[in-house]
Amino acid sequence: MDRLDKRLAATGRWSRKEARELIRGGRVSVDGAVCRAPEHKPAPDAAIAVDGADIGSGGPVYLMLNKPAGVVSSTDEPGERTVLDLLGEDYQNIGLFPAGRLDKDTEGLLLLTNDGPLAHRLLSPRRHVDKVYYVEVDGTLDEGDRSAVRAGVALGDGYQCLPGELELLSPGSAHITLHEGKYHQVKRMMAALGKPVTYLKRVRFGPLALDEGLPKGGWRPLTGQELEAIFSQ
Ligand code: URA
């Protein structure tokens, strides 16, 4: 049996140190009773909750969400509508969190899971899970932009992006493929090229392609094939 702090850290949502702080702060309950002992070893089927929200004792869950604009990619942000608010009641308290983030105004593919180790693997910079975005800009994209993205754009703060790919779709729209995930990366790349983003949507995350049949705000469990694909990443 694992210690309580280890059980929390295994969700991938907190480090061992953060877990210990939560526990000592009286925010963690085991089978409904507050437990302040990080070394306590709950039974494998114990219901563990942080701030009243179950960390998930059932099997792991994997959902594909078509994130709409206006919703934040976190599980709890006061005053904001979060991606969890879009899910049904059954999915509210099972420890789901988004594997990666999209800006509030960005739409498209977000993987929600309570499988911390898998999320860590997919987000690890060493693995370079490709992300593809559909982007519209204010301005006209051209061959020069394509070459610049292929060479690696230098951002305003001096950060040198890894080479990516830009596939021009129309004068003002493209698919852009990134092999890294820096904060506001597409927006900052396009700003550096002098063509600010007016619309952004993620259409691919590693082997997962956005199910275009999902309406904005719609979600569904991953299919068997999709699960196989993300586990073989
Ligand atoms: N790049 C951005 O600028 N925003 C996102 O939400 C994702 C990638």
Side-chain angles (χ1 to χ4, degrees), residues 36-209:
R36 293 175 188 265
E39 68 281 3
H40 173 64
K41 292 185 174 171
D45 60 350
I48 301 172
V50 175
D51 293 334
D54 200 305
I55 64 162
S57 43
V61 170
Y62 307 88
L63 304 177
M64 176 187 293
L65 170 73
N66 184 3
K67 179 191 170 300
V71 171
V72 295
S73 300
S74 59
T75 52
D76 179 23
E77 202 165 314
E80 295 284 5
R81 211 166 159 230
T82 75
V83 285
L84 286 193
D85 293 332
L86 300 169
L87 306 179
E89 207 157 281
D90 287 353
Y91 293 97
Q92 289 303 323
N93 292 309
I94 57 168
L96 288 176
F97 61 96
R101 289 189 169 224
L102 294 175
D103 296 336
K104 185 172 173 181
D105 58 354
T106 300
E107 298 182 354
L109 176 53
L110 203 56
L111 170 66
L112 296 169
T113 184
N114 50 11
D115 182 340
L118 176 83
H120 269 307
R121 275 210 308 281
L122 292 174
L123 298 173
S124 152
R126 273 177 291 126
R127 287 190 186 249
H128 297 317
V129 168
D130 288 355
K131 288 136 196 142
V132 183
Y133 297 86
Y134 168 77
V135 59
E136 292 178 5
V137 299
D138 188 4
T140 301
L141 293 164
D142 56 26
E143 280 303 316
D145 299 313
R146 219 162 67 82
S147 310
V149 171
R150 201 166 43 214
V153 173
L155 301 183
D157 62 0
Y159 176 75
Q160 179 67 45
C161 295
L162 290 176
E165 290 101 51
L166 190 71
E167 181 198 349
L168 306 180
L169 300 172
S170 77
S173 70
H175 277 140
I176 182 165
T177 303
L178 301 183
H179 309 291
E180 60 183 339
K182 300 290 172 199
Y183 184 63
H184 290 333
Q185 187 164 356
V186 177
K187 290 176 185 163
R188 289 158 73 209
M189 285 171 76
M190 293 301 154
L193 297 172
K195 295 162 192 180
V197 168
T198 55
Y199 175 78
L200 189 59
K201 176 181 178 179
R202 184 155 67 188
V203 294
R204 182 170 274 279
F205 178 66
L208 294 181

